[in-house]
Amino acid sequence: MPDLPERALVDGHGRRITYARISVTDRCNLRCVYCMPEDQAFRPLPHLMTRAEIARAARLLASLGVTKVRLTGGEPTTRPDLAGIVSDLSAIGFPGGIALSTNGVLFPRVARELLAAGLTRVNISLDAAEAEHFRKMARRDHFEPVAESIRLSLELPFESVKLNAVVIRGFNEGEVVRLAAWTADRALSVRFIEFMPFGDNSWKTEDFVGWEEMKGWLEAAGYVLTPVEKDPVSGPADEYRVSSAAGAHRGTIGFITPVSDRFCDSCNRMRLTQDGFLKGCLFGHRDVDLLRPMRRGASEEELLALVEEAARTKEEKHPMFLGMSRLSLPLHSRNMSEVGG
Ligand code: SAM
Ligand code: SF4
């Protein structure tokens, strides 16, 4: 294990926090059925962290040993100062990389600027391989720019390009095999995400598809999946090399399994919401307010103590796994876009 910085962030269960996901906005130009309602209300702009506040929070996290950061939302590319935020993070220095989660709609317009500012990795969300199913999932007609984002990201020298697809029964089961086929000749990691209950996204047991069923669909379609040894800091996906009638694929396939709970034990992350709350767990309820103390003039030491408090009170597992059946899954009070996915 590398030397710990003078003050390392270790949670109450002995896990070291090295990865932060920072949400920069709750706004979005899509309305994915699993994420936000058509009439989603957004926070007033003054409630969101400014570029300077994001940089200050990131410096606190870096000084406590966070090495990798991801910008998310809402849709981060709807923020006009996104490249500035990336260049601030780049100046702070995150050796594990600066990543972006995006829906890809505006990404082609800003990709080169973000790359020049220091962005190293891109995750693009896409739940369907063609326009009609895309519209059903995203409630908007923007398939083409998203497909262009994937082409462009693979051309530009990003360290990795990943595609994330949420799978919902009755909406896009058929897309699993179609999206997986994209790995044949592209250096793309396509990851299928289990649908999670959130806010008012009307999650129902019947809509849920577990990773084993998705894997079964791929195998039935002739894909052979071989597990890739897991890098402990790479994130929650279980990755597989793929081969099919087309031969060995250039890309890989992964499953992100928050509902089947296969990754809490190795969780190394903390989240910062766009309105400045630290969250140890996506499903947690013990948020620590960092932004209001910052705005009230709290000292560096006081702010560091708040980050440490958020780590200390991080949940051991998603609360929904502590003795609850799937039918009694608690719905989180915020949507995914408001927590920062
Ligand atoms: N707008 C960006 C995007 O879509 O990539 C970043 C924010 S989005 C909230 C981050 C990720 O959360 C996306 O991959 C999205 O598919 C996923 N997500 C949102 N709601 C979800 C849900 N209910 N279950 C599983 N994944 C969800
Ligand atoms: Fe927007 Fe991303 Fe949520 Fe879809 S998943 S509505 S793109 S924030």
Side-chain angles (χ1 to χ4, degrees):
M1 188 151 171
D3 288 344
L4 296 179
E6 217 166 286
R7 280 171 83 162
L9 263 190
V10 179
D11 76 8
H13 313 281
R15 296 168 299 196
R16 191 162 162 220
I17 312 294
T18 54
Y19 175 28
R21 297 176 69 109
I22 301 179
S23 173
V24 296
T25 182
D26 56 350
R27 275 125 176 104
C28 189
N29 42 8
L30 297 183
R31 291 290 181 280
C32 301
V33 289
Y34 49 78
C35 181
M36 61 168 86
E38 189 59 78
D39 60 351
Q40 174 77 30
F42 297 113
R43 293 190 158 65
L45 280 172
H47 291 203
L48 305 191
M49 290 184 291
T50 63
R51 172 178 164 184
E53 287 162 346
I54 292 170
R56 188 162 182 210
R59 264 193 300 277
L60 294 166
L61 290 161
S63 73
L64 290 171
V66 168
T67 56
K68 177 176 168 186
V69 72
R70 170 174 300 281
L71 296 175
T72 182
E75 176 47 38
T77 58
T78 60
R79 244 187 110 130
D81 56 358
L82 184 62
I85 293 170
V86 172
S87 69
D88 293 343
L89 298 178
S90 192
I92 294 167
F94 287 92
I98 300 168
L100 174 74
S101 287
T102 176
N103 63 25
V105 175
L106 297 172
F107 186 73
R109 302 185 200 176
V110 292
R112 288 186 171 79
E113 195 189 354
L114 294 176
L115 180 70
L119 188 71
T120 58
R121 295 165 194 266
V122 187
N123 284 14
I124 297 169
S125 295
L126 178 64
D127 309 311
E130 45 68 48
E132 193 189 324
H133 278 90
F134 177 91
R135 192 183 320 111
K136 228 164 93 180
M137 295 296 279
R139 299 201 195 96
R140 296 288 183 275
D141 230 344
H142 296 317
F143 176 75
E144 266 317 315
V146 184
E148 171 55 19
S149 286
I150 296 167
R151 283 191 289 272
L152 182 61
S153 314
L154 288 169
E155 255 171 56
L156 295 174
F158 288 114
E159 281 170 23
S160 72
V161 181
K162 296 180 180 171
L163 200 151
N164 289 335
V166 177
V167 180
I168 306 183
R169 202 180 302 283
F171 271 90
N172 66 338
E173 303 104 303
E175 301 302 307
V176 169
V177 172
R178 284 193 203 117
L179 289 169
W182 288 13
T183 60
D185 54 1
R186 297 174 179 88
L188 191 61
S189 167
V190 175
R191 292 113 51 90
F192 299 104
I193 309 180
E194 291 177 346
F195 177 32
M196 291 184 275
F198 261 102
D200 45 13
N201 76 356
S202 324
W203 188 97
K204 290 193 287 308
T205 306
E206 309 85 85
D207 303 336
F208 171 76
V209 185
W211 71 278
E212 284 164 306
E213 189 176 353
M214 300 179 207
K215 186 163 172 269
W217 294 340
L218 293 168
E219 286 165 346
Y223 288 79
V224 178
L225 305 184
T226 315
V228 175
E229 200 170 317
K230 207 166 173 171
D231 160 5
V233 293
S234 67
D238 284 328
E239 294 277 333
Y240 294 82
R241 269 185 284 282
V242 196
S243 59
S244 67
H249 288 207
R250 279 186 73 195
T252 56
I253 286 176
F255 301 99
I256 301 181
T257 59
V259 179
S260 302
D261 178 31
R262 303 194 312 145
F263 55 68
C264 293
D265 290 347
S266 60
C267 186
N268 62 348
R269 60 184 56 189
M270 181 177 275
R271 292 168 193 268
L272 181 60
T273 66
Q274 62 279 346
D275 52 344
F277 285 87
L278 290 158
K279 285 186 84 69
C281 175
L282 187 54
F283 287 92
H285 293 280
R286 302 188 197 141
D287 304 355
V288 172
D289 189 353
L290 187 67
L291 183 58
R292 270 126 297 264
M294 205 185 262
R295 287 185 176 175
R296 280 199 302 268
S299 68
E300 216 60 8
E301 188 48 45
E302 286 164 333
L303 296 176
L304 285 168
L306 288 171
V307 181
E308 287 171 330
E309 181 192 332
R312 229 181 2 261
T313 55
K314 181 172 162 65
E315 284 77 357
E316 183 184 0
K317 282 183 180 294
H318 292 173
M320 67 178 174
F321 297 116
L322 297 176
M324 288 182 190
S325 71
R326 280 208 186 127
L327 285 173
S328 62
L329 288 176
L331 294 181
H332 198 284
S333 52
R334 287 179 167 213
N335 286 322
M336 184 74 152
S337 61
E338 298 170 290
V339 178

